[in-house]
Amino acid sequence: MSRIEFKDVRHAYPQPAGQPQEYALKEVNQVWENGGAYALLGPSGCGKTTLLNIISGLLTPSEGSILFNHDDVTRLPTAERHIAQVFQFPVVYDTMTVFDNLAFPLRNRHMPEARVKERVTEIAEMLDLSGRLHQRAAGLTADGKQKISLGRGLVREDVNAILFDEPLTVIDPHLKWQLRSKLKELHQQLGVTMIYVTHDQVEALTFADKVVVMHDGTVVQVGTPVELFSRPSHTFVGYFIGSPGMNVLPCSIENGHPVFANNLLSSGYRADTDLSGKLEIGIRPEFVSFSDDGIPVAIEKIEDLGRYQVVTVRHESEQIKMLISEDEPIPAESPMISFDPDNLRIYCDDWAVETGDA
Amino acid sequence: MRKSTNQKAWWLVAPVLLLVAFNAFIPLMTVVNYSLQETFGDNVFFWEGVTWFEQVLRSERFHASLLRQLLFTSMILAIEVPLGIAVALSMPRKGPWVSVCLVLMALPLLIPWNVVGAMWNIFALPDIGLLGYSLNSMGFDYNFTQQPVSAWMTTVVMDVWHWTSLIVLLCYAGLCSIPDAYYQAARIDGATGWAVFRYIQLPKMKRVLTIAILLRFMDSFMIYTEPFVLTGGGPGNTTTFLSIDLVKIALGQFDLGPAAAMSLIYFLVVLLICWVFYTLMMRNEAQ
């Protein structure tokens, strides 16, 4: 097991001649602590899988280096990195039995057969595969096959980390939850570093201690689920996490405080006055409420989600979503809204402005 | 509710029945007809029972050509299958060379059988052919028109040249259908190149390979044109395979009865071997 570090890693896939080089990964500096449960969260095409394949050595980055426990492994072949990886679609060796599938990585590494048997039995027990060890792997259902893929990673005693590339995509919804809690359980049991790629925020937030949000080839924020929710450091994190996502509204700054719709808003901190660039405020729908004075809006739509209702309101050209509890009344005439100052954040060119306490 | 019976729908099946009758059943029955009777022309037939079948099955000439046929088919399969797999494995799977390779591979398949025979005949002629002349000038005593071994080698090489591509293309299609994740998983699992072939590529190619072997077996077992143009079955009878022998009996000697009996036996042998092979391959699959 080890600590994995990325130093200035950039990667570009080869382009057809004549097309400009485009980086799928635009400089990543990141440390994965030993034994952590990480989720890599981001939309399709943001570079998650590229990053994962660079860790396992299936890809060699165009620039930068990867360190395992301070040793440079950038050029080390996959087999020598001791990384296990589970792919989106289950990979099983069709002609082999479940037992042989699980034993495959061990036999390839010339482990004595008695020890192989011991390990496989142990792991099969953990994954509830014991009863099917001598069945042909090809005959199993998708979740059974995915368990085998996972098991092939777990049997190895020397793995530095287990990587999951959207492993639950092909699994039935009711089994997804089961397998996810299994993973969490295995993580606690084995204490091995796990990195879990997904574009599903619920999956990421339930699985991981730390979520790494990626956007357009860069890591935009690393944090606990609570941090990502309450202090998104990039407007993208605001949009992507939470449902509905954060409201991002254009603003100007006066005396360190944001002004939106001619309203001087107070925020929990003062921003530098000499900000230049695109200025915006971010406020989560949870922290927008109706009030007696504030910003006049028109109500566009009310969606009832059971315990909550999502109200879409509009001020001039800006649409604002608000999340209020089921029993809260909605003003019928000239509604006005206000923002909770403690949860109002200022963004300059999409990045959070973090200076100066109020 | 009682359904009224209406047999008129049978007429809708009639076109298919007619087609099958004219294209398979009637010709086959004609052969059966000839195999059980003797005729001297004028549409006069004498019942012979299974005499012709006994005669063919006992004839040393039939045994010899059947043996030659089995030997030839085994030889070309033993060469073409591993070679085809090897070529398919070494072909690029992406990039600009893919289409170049595919076209080069498909070329031999597009050449008519008799042209292949004629090409190799001229190519291998010991006095003027490029291959024959070169071999002789390198000190090999090579003359496919007179030496049985040379004739066999030339026939086998010609078939390998003509038909390995078929196996290559089918295997290549099988290989291309393997998702990248399998290769990646194998790398993660520390599999060697041999293990990748044995546990990923070969199982994924199994179905297409079964079809490829069946096709090559049937085609080579019924081979006629190419050896006929190349060697004419000679020198002597050494490259007289079943089809060539059959044509000699039917059209050369005009022995219609024995020829018909031989055709049926020939047909049954092909059918039997195909059935056994396919059943074995598929039973493995079901397990």
Side-chain angles (χ1 to χ4, degrees), chain A residues 233-252:
Chain A
S233 61
H234 189 275
T235 51
F236 174 77
V237 180
Y239 284 132
F240 200 69
I241 294 190
S243 172
M246 189 168 69
N247 296 301
V248 178
L249 308 164
C251 72
S252 56

Side-chain angles (χ1 to χ4, degrees), chain A residues 328-340:
Chain A
E328 198 175 316
I330 292 167
E333 270 175 42
S334 56
M336 304 228 245
I337 56 167
S338 63
F339 302 145
D340 175 10

Side-chain angles (χ1 to χ4, degrees), chain B residues 75-247:
Chain B
M75 279 173 78
I76 65 107
L77 283 180
I79 298 171
E80 287 175 15
V81 173
L83 184 64
I85 294 174
V87 174
L89 284 173
S90 50
M91 267 167 66
R93 242 151 276 161
K94 17 178 131 71
W97 288 103
V98 170
S99 31
V100 176
C101 287
L102 285 177
V103 168
L104 280 178
M105 280 297 135
L107 267 182
L109 299 174
L110 301 175
I111 301 174
W113 285 260
N114 54 351
V115 176
V116 172
M119 267 167 57
W120 278 82
N121 187 314
I122 297 166
F123 182 47
L125 279 177
D127 44 357
I128 57 164
L130 184 61
L131 175 71
Y133 184 80
S134 315
L135 281 175
N136 278 300
S137 60
M138 279 190 288
F140 296 101
D141 181 21
Y142 170 86
N143 186 342
F144 77 94
T145 58
Q146 281 164 25
Q147 301 153 341
V149 176
S150 302
W152 265 81
M153 271 170 39
T154 318
T155 318
V156 168
V157 171
M158 173 181 66
D159 196 84
V160 168
W161 178 84
H162 194 181
W163 288 112
T164 304
S165 301
L166 181 75
I167 296 191
V168 171
L169 292 179
L170 285 170
C171 287
Y172 184 73
L175 284 175
C176 286
S177 69
I178 303 175
D180 272 347
Y182 277 81
Y183 294 112
Q184 294 177 339
R187 277 166 72 185
I188 300 274
D189 289 338
T192 55
W194 166 251
V196 169
F197 175 69
R198 170 70 187 77
Y199 297 113
I200 298 176
Q201 293 170 325
L202 202 56
K204 293 278 173 197
M205 277 195 295
K206 192 180 156 194
R207 278 162 182 277
V208 280
L209 203 56
T210 305
I211 298 298
I213 293 173
L214 267 180
L215 285 176
R216 277 319 295 137
F217 164 74
M218 290 191 291
D219 277 350
S220 71
F221 210 78
M222 299 187 286
I223 193 166
Y224 177 77
T225 317
E226 296 139 287
F228 181 75
V229 177
L230 181 70
T231 63
N237 275 335
T238 45
T239 55
T240 301
F241 302 123
L242 278 175
S243 286
I244 298 182
D245 204 20
L246 181 63
V247 171

